[in-house]
Amino acid sequence: MLRNALEPWHLILLLVVCVLVFGSKKLPDMARSMGKSMRILKSETQALRSEGDRP
Protein backbone atom coordinates (compact mmCIF):
# COMPACT_ATOMS: atom_id res chain seq x y z
CA MET A 1 0.00 0.00 0.00
CA LEU A 2 2.70 2.50 0.99
CA ARG A 3 5.43 0.82 -0.99
CA ASN A 4 6.41 3.84 -3.10
CA ALA A 5 4.88 6.50 -0.92
CA LEU A 6 7.81 8.91 -0.83
CA GLU A 7 9.57 9.48 -4.12
CA PRO A 8 11.95 12.36 -4.94
CA TRP A 9 9.33 14.32 -6.86
CA HIS A 10 7.07 14.19 -3.79
CA LEU A 11 9.77 15.94 -1.77
CA ILE A 12 10.25 18.59 -4.46
CA LEU A 13 6.52 19.22 -4.61
CA LEU A 14 6.35 19.47 -0.81
CA LEU A 15 9.22 21.97 -0.79
CA VAL A 16 7.52 24.13 -3.43
CA VAL A 17 4.26 24.13 -1.49
CA CYS A 18 6.07 25.12 1.72
CA VAL A 19 7.81 28.01 -0.02
CA LEU A 20 4.52 29.19 -1.51
CA VAL A 21 2.62 28.95 1.77
CA PHE A 22 5.19 30.31 4.22
CA GLY A 23 7.42 32.41 2.00
CA SER A 24 11.14 32.12 1.54
CA LYS A 25 11.96 34.57 4.34
CA LYS A 26 10.24 32.63 7.13
CA LEU A 27 11.53 29.15 6.27
CA PRO A 28 15.04 29.57 7.79
CA ASP A 29 13.53 30.89 11.03
CA MET A 30 11.10 27.99 11.16
CA ALA A 31 13.90 25.48 10.59
CA ARG A 32 16.03 27.13 13.28
CA SER A 33 13.22 27.02 15.84
CA MET A 34 12.45 23.40 14.95
CA GLY A 35 16.11 22.52 15.54
CA LYS A 36 16.05 24.20 18.94
CA SER A 37 12.88 22.35 19.86
CA MET A 38 14.41 19.02 18.86
CA ARG A 39 17.52 19.72 20.97
CA ILE A 40 15.36 20.56 23.99
CA LEU A 41 13.29 17.42 23.51
CA LYS A 42 16.42 15.29 23.21
CA SER A 43 17.97 16.72 26.36
CA GLU A 44 14.74 16.29 28.32
CA THR A 45 14.37 12.64 27.27
CA GLN A 46 17.98 11.96 28.22
CA ALA A 47 17.37 13.57 31.62
CA LEU A 48 14.31 11.42 32.18
CA ARG A 49 16.19 8.27 31.23
CA SER A 50 19.11 9.05 33.54
CA GLU A 51 16.65 9.91 36.31
CA GLY A 52 15.00 6.51 35.94
CA ASP A 53 18.34 4.66 36.19
CA ARG A 54 19.05 5.92 39.71
CA PRO A 55 17.83 3.66 42.53
Side-chain angles (χ1 to χ4, degrees):
M1 185 170 136
L2 295 173
R3 184 181 233 169
N4 294 325
L6 197 59
E7 294 183 11
W9 69 272
H10 288 120
L11 296 174
I12 293 170
L13 184 64
L14 183 64
L15 181 65
V16 168
V17 169
C18 285
V19 169
L20 289 175
V21 170
F22 296 111
S24 61
K25 292 184 180 181
K26 289 189 178 182
L27 286 177
D29 293 333
M30 290 174 58
R32 196 173 299 118
S33 66
M34 189 179 294
K36 286 180 184 178
S37 299
M38 291 301 292
R39 275 180 268 165
I40 291 170
L41 179 66
K42 186 177 178 181
S43 67
E44 291 295 324
T45 55
Q46 287 177 351
L48 286 174
R49 285 183 185 162
S50 65
E51 190 176 285
D53 290 341
R54 296 181 205 160

